[in-house]
Amino acid sequence: MSINFLQPEYEVVRNMDRCITCRVCERQCANEVHHYNADLDRMVSDDSKCVDCQRCVTLCPTNALKIVKTNNCFKENANWHTSDITDIYRQATTGGVLLGSMGTPKEYPVYWDKLLINASQVTNPSIDPLREPMETRTFLGKKDATIHYDKDGNIITKTTPQLELSTPIMFSAMSYGSISYNAHKSLAMAATKLGIYYNTGEGGLHEDFYVYGPNTIVQVASGRFGVHSDYLEAGAAIEIKMGQGAKPGIGGHLPGAKITEAVSKTRMIPQGTDAISPAPHHDIYSIEDLRQLVYMLKESTNYKKPVIVKIAAVHNVGAIASGIARCGADIIAIDGFRGGTGAAPARIRDNVGIPIELALASVDRRLREEGIRNQVSLVVGGSIRSSADVIKAIALGADACYIATSALIALGCHLCRTCHLGKCNWGIATQVPELVKRLNPAIGSEHLVNLVTAWTHEIKEMMGGMGINSIEALRGNRLMLRGVGLTEKELEILGVKHAGE
């Protein structure tokens, strides 16, 4: 036995009384966990290859399978946990950086769960969303500080280009290449049907998806993959990615195995080569440089499209956002450190950045104090898990929320967190043709539409319970929130009172 042997993290449990040796599990598993043993005349499993994607469990016709977490353990103490020990064994064996996906698994505070929503009682009666109109439409972009009238007293609208959303939810950036063609198509179709937007990420826009342009946000990132004039013109808005919550301060890396012919053409890079996104934009080293890019993109699109600047939630995020607002951006997107769908270095993912709740509250307060809150809209992402999280984010000052992991789960993702391996059994984070086919865009988009529709119904119900009938009236209304189990400093940063006050 090797000194670095690690017990498989998951074990396949097969009920032999139910197994009919149909071999569905073998055909469906891209990780080759299952195979038929002719000598034994039964199915056997290799636990070491199992990533707990649940594909075999879901499709087993006789419900003969289940995946369980191993109960084998190291001798832990308060300082040394099993994860610390296994990470050292892995790095001592490979000499490499550990990768992980889908945000940090560490038990950092989730402030959404420590905030409670108010409800009307007796005075300021609640509103029944089934009987009364409830407005969830949201407009993103710069707003006038004053109201202008013509000589007849009519309001003169002079706003810069805006994004109009039917509900304050958008699909966050996930690039073509990191996710499949069918996953991208599902997002595009759903965004169009819902009247919201999806984001291309940094991978460019496949030629088949230009038809969804009116509901597309095109991204310009440090690698500038797939960026050209038609691409910029295709989207309803342009997003400059300066950072992302899962890996603040570093760039990206899409393995060459995922750079297929179509991905290569879309990204404008050679097929089969790794796509490396530099950590910084090589033409941006100051707010003034960022301003130049913002206005270069506006100029190139005749000032018809709002420009979004996306940053990771980090220390001093309020000051950073203030600079971005002053450099001409129309929308600031902030990504918290619990977010992230693709692969990221585990140490960065687990130790760099700050929670989105604290970042959002700090940015909203800073912009209000400086009198420039109207100059930008705020969009937040980083583990928005439910309609309640959306409501709380808006009450803390957000104009809208980005969702990504929630959207992937709606598409069938089971959070096995091995996106970087390119063998996604659900056809989402893969470019293998036979795996991509497993995600039907018609079904995928329908699930996304159902998810956002359900959340919108819940948002209306919660707003009605608060006696609020529009997103506009909820935005930044922190009186609608109370904290539980938070320190005085945390309450001060969030700008909310403790429950009972």
Side-chain angles (χ1 to χ4, degrees):
M1 187 67 70
S2 168
I3 61 170
N4 56 6
F5 171 77
L6 295 173
Q7 186 76 15
E9 189 175 0
Y10 300 99
E11 297 173 4
V12 179
V13 179
R14 190 184 309 273
N15 185 330
M16 299 310 299
D17 292 333
R18 292 182 177 178
C19 181
I20 57 175
T21 324
C22 63
R23 302 177 72 168
V24 166
C25 52
E26 183 181 34
R27 292 191 294 274
Q28 291 292 326
C29 184
N31 298 306
E32 300 176 334
V33 172
H34 309 274
H35 66 275
Y36 175 70
N37 187 312
D39 294 335
L40 299 175
D41 189 26
R42 64 183 177 91
M43 298 300 298
V44 295
S45 309
D46 182 351
D47 294 344
S48 67
K49 296 179 178 177
C50 181
V51 298
D52 193 23
C53 74
Q54 296 284 315
R55 180 82 181 180
C56 58
V57 175
T58 304
L59 296 182
C60 177
T62 58
N63 195 24
L65 290 170
K66 62 180 178 180
I67 310 296
V68 299
K69 194 171 178 61
T70 182
N71 57 10
N72 181 66
C73 62
F74 290 99
K75 192 172 183 178
E76 296 181 321
N77 61 23
N79 191 42
W80 288 98
H81 302 280
T82 294
S83 59
D84 301 314
I85 300 168
T86 54
D87 284 352
I88 288 178
Y89 278 132
R90 289 195 178 100
Q91 291 194 298
T93 303
T94 65
V97 173
L98 298 173
L99 298 176
S101 304
M102 299 295 180
T104 180
K106 300 287 186 182
E107 294 183 358
Y108 289 107
V110 179
Y111 289 97
W112 302 134
D113 296 339
K114 297 177 183 292
L115 293 171
L116 299 176
I117 299 169
N118 190 32
S120 296
Q121 300 293 299
V122 184
T123 60
N124 184 28
S126 55
I127 301 169
D128 185 348
L130 297 178
R131 297 172 185 270
E132 304 289 339
M134 302 289 288
E135 184 59 87
T136 58
R137 270 191 310 168
T138 301
F139 293 87
L140 302 180
K142 195 169 297 185
K143 308 295 190 299
D144 281 344
T146 57
I147 300 175
H148 303 279
Y149 299 92
D150 63 16
K151 62 181 181 181
D152 298 322
N154 300 313
I155 294 177
I156 302 172
T157 301
K158 296 171 62 178
T159 54
T160 56
Q162 306 275 310
L163 291 182
E164 180 180 348
L165 288 70
S166 64
T167 191
I169 299 168
M170 299 190 291
F171 300 129
S172 190
M174 291 176 279
S175 67
Y176 174 50
S178 65
I179 62 173
S180 68
Y181 177 97
N182 284 353
H184 245 247
K185 187 171 183 178
S186 300
L187 293 165
M189 292 170 65
T192 302
K193 189 167 185 178
L194 288 163
I196 59 173
Y197 299 87
Y198 87 105
N199 193 311
T200 63
E202 61 179 321
L205 184 63
H206 191 286
E207 58 186 5
D208 293 351
F209 300 151
Y210 276 66
V211 65
Y212 302 107
N215 294 88
T216 303
I217 297 171
V218 296
Q219 192 179 78
V220 175
S222 59
R224 306 288 161 91
F225 299 125
V227 177
H228 51 81
S229 58
D230 290 343
Y231 171 75
L232 297 176
E233 286 289 348
I238 303 170
E239 180 176 274
I240 302 171
K241 189 187 84 170
M242 298 302 300
Q244 64 186 98
K247 41 187 174 182
I250 67 170
H253 177 197
L254 188 66
K258 282 192 167 184
I259 310 299
T260 60
E261 183 179 356
V263 174
S264 161
K265 183 179 178 182
T266 303
R267 292 197 174 219
M268 301 190 303
I269 58 174
Q271 184 176 348
T273 59
D274 289 7
I276 307 292
S277 304
H281 288 249
H282 288 316
D283 52 355
I284 298 178
Y285 290 92
S286 66
I287 286 293
E288 291 77 12
D289 292 341
L290 177 61
R291 180 182 174 84
Q292 283 193 5
L293 180 57
V294 167
Y295 277 93
M296 185 188 77
L297 293 172
K298 288 188 174 187
E299 186 79 24
S300 64
T301 53
N302 294 318
Y303 293 86
K304 293 180 179 177
K305 302 175 191 299
V307 172
I308 307 167
V309 174
K310 178 182 178 181
I311 56 172
V314 293
H315 307 172
N316 300 318
V317 67
I320 296 167
S322 172
I324 294 171
R326 294 174 189 280
C327 80
D330 301 285
I331 302 164
I332 300 175
I334 312 170
D335 200 16
F337 88 137
R338 290 196 309 272
T341 52
R347 296 290 173 253
I348 301 284
R349 179 196 63 181
D350 297 342
N351 296 281
V352 182
I354 63 173
I356 188 59
E357 302 92 326
L358 302 179
L360 166 60
S362 298
V363 168
D364 182 62
R365 181 189 298 110
R366 176 72 178 248
L367 298 182
R368 289 179 189 279
E369 288 174 351
E370 296 185 1
I372 56 173
R373 180 62 182 86
N374 65 299
Q375 292 188 19
V376 288
S377 293
L378 295 179
V379 179
V380 298
S383 198
I384 300 291
R385 307 158 299 169
S386 68
S387 57
D389 291 351
V390 175
I391 284 280
K392 293 169 186 177
I394 292 170
L396 281 179
D399 292 88
C401 293
Y402 265 143
I403 64 169
T405 302
S406 300
L408 294 187
I409 293 173
L411 288 177
C413 171
H414 282 62
L415 294 181
C416 68
R417 298 182 176 87
T418 53
C419 313
H420 53 290
L421 300 179
K423 295 182 179 180
C424 178
N425 276 314
W426 296 95
I428 301 170
T430 180
Q431 301 302 321
V432 179
E434 54 267 30
L435 297 179
V436 173
K437 290 178 186 174
R438 293 179 178 181
L439 176 59
N440 183 329
I443 296 174
S445 62
E446 181 183 350
H447 284 202
L448 289 167
V449 169
N450 288 342
L451 176 71
V452 175
T453 301
W455 284 20
T456 302
H457 284 314
E458 292 175 340
I459 287 170
K460 290 179 179 178
E461 285 184 342
M462 284 185 279
M463 287 201 309
M466 287 185 272
I468 288 176
N469 63 2
S470 73
I471 293 294
E472 190 73 28
L474 177 63
R475 185 174 303 120
N477 192 344
R478 302 184 192 195
L479 289 174
M480 291 294 117
L481 299 176
R482 289 291 186 273
V484 288
L486 297 173
T487 66
E488 287 295 325
K489 190 64 179 178
E490 289 170 324
L491 291 168
E492 177 189 334
I493 294 171
L494 291 168
V496 300
K497 295 180 179 178
H498 198 280
E501 289 189 89

